[in-house]
Amino acid sequence: MARLLIKTEGMNNQTLELRLGINQIGRSPECDFSINHPTVSVNHCQIVLSNDGVMIRDCGSTNGTFINGDPVREAWLLPGQTVNLGDVELFVESTDVNVAIPQFERDRPRPPVVLPDGMLVCPRHSRAQAAYRCTHCHEVMCSDCVHVLRFKGGEPHLLCPLCSHKCEPIPLLQPKKKKGLLGFLQDTVKLKFGPGRRKAKT
């Protein structure tokens, strides 16, 4: 990030690490960078750090703001320049601007649990059947998880809790009925005396 180094004796080589936006510099303790020197005004100048670079702006100081000995009201700073705020000398070490954009990783949907009868289980409610699926991220969910957006006089919209896209109902599978003893005997009789079998001649 952009920074300036105070070169004036007695200032302990203080470094000004600039922040994005306006950096107020002056003798006041309320400034972002307070420089306690009699030739520095209470609110001496502003150094603005943006994507375009580093700009210094004098705030009507008593003893003026100078770049390489030339008085300025507003100017862009470059590495290697010398800035004077009154009798305080600063060296421009860097004008780099690093804008870091944090990365957010969205939780990926976990694969649904499939029961032996083909039914899906809600990933967040292990005892609830998944009744809806997101059309975007394909997450499955139960009726308690899906977000319902209601409009007056219209049909409710079903939204995914992860990505807020549209959800659709999952077609329910009809479980196969187990045959009882009577059905088993009927199938056995059909196989034994079905129309395809002929009686043997005696």
Side-chain angles (χ1 to χ4, degrees):
M1 195 64 78
R3 60 184 176 273
L4 286 77
L5 178 64
I6 299 179
K7 303 290 289 184
T8 302
E9 293 184 4
M11 305 297 291
N12 298 323
N13 289 334
Q14 182 180 350
T15 301
L16 309 184
E17 294 280 352
L18 302 179
R19 296 181 290 270
L20 283 173
I22 298 176
N23 298 264
Q24 187 70 42
I25 301 175
R27 197 171 68 252
S28 171
E30 303 297 326
C31 290
D32 298 305
F33 298 100
S34 180
I35 301 178
N36 188 15
H37 194 276
T39 63
V40 176
S41 297
V42 175
N43 292 298
H44 197 102
C45 68
Q46 293 178 346
I47 299 182
V48 182
L49 184 61
S50 67
N51 291 334
D52 297 326
V54 182
M55 175 180 286
I56 189 168
R57 182 184 299 129
D58 186 81
C59 297
S61 63
T62 302
N63 296 306
T65 300
F66 301 82
I67 296 179
N68 292 341
D70 297 325
V72 296
R73 300 291 296 179
E74 186 175 282
W76 293 98
L77 294 180
L78 299 174
Q81 290 180 329
T82 298
V83 176
N84 286 90
L85 309 180
D87 292 338
V88 176
E89 180 180 321
L90 300 92
F91 177 73
V92 182
E93 283 192 342
S94 172
T95 57
D96 294 336
V97 181
N98 299 323
V99 181
I101 301 176
Q103 296 182 355
F104 297 95
E105 294 186 0
R106 187 184 298 273
D107 293 336
R108 296 182 178 178
R110 291 172 292 179
V113 177
V114 183
L115 299 178
D117 59 1
M119 298 296 182
L120 299 178
V121 177
C122 176
R124 286 163 293 278
H125 301 94
S126 59
R127 297 185 178 181
Q129 179 180 336
Y132 300 94
R133 186 189 302 274
C134 176
T135 58
H136 180 74
C137 68
H138 306 296
E139 171 75 333
V140 297
M141 66 213 73
C142 65
S143 56
D144 290 335
C145 292
V146 68
H147 291 174
V148 181
L149 183 63
R150 300 183 184 276
F151 292 98
K152 187 175 181 180
E155 295 183 358
H157 292 258
L158 306 178
L159 303 178
C160 174
L162 297 183
C163 66
S164 299
H165 282 75
K166 179 182 177 182
C167 291
E168 293 181 343
I170 298 176
L172 298 179
L173 298 177
Q174 296 296 333
K176 294 182 179 179
K177 295 182 179 180
K178 294 184 178 180
K179 294 184 179 181
L181 179 60
L182 182 59
F184 176 78
L185 292 176
Q186 289 176 347
D187 290 344
T188 305
V189 172
K190 288 180 181 178
L191 291 174
K192 188 174 182 179
F193 301 102
R197 297 179 63 90
R198 295 182 180 179
K199 295 182 179 180
K201 293 182 180 181
T202 55

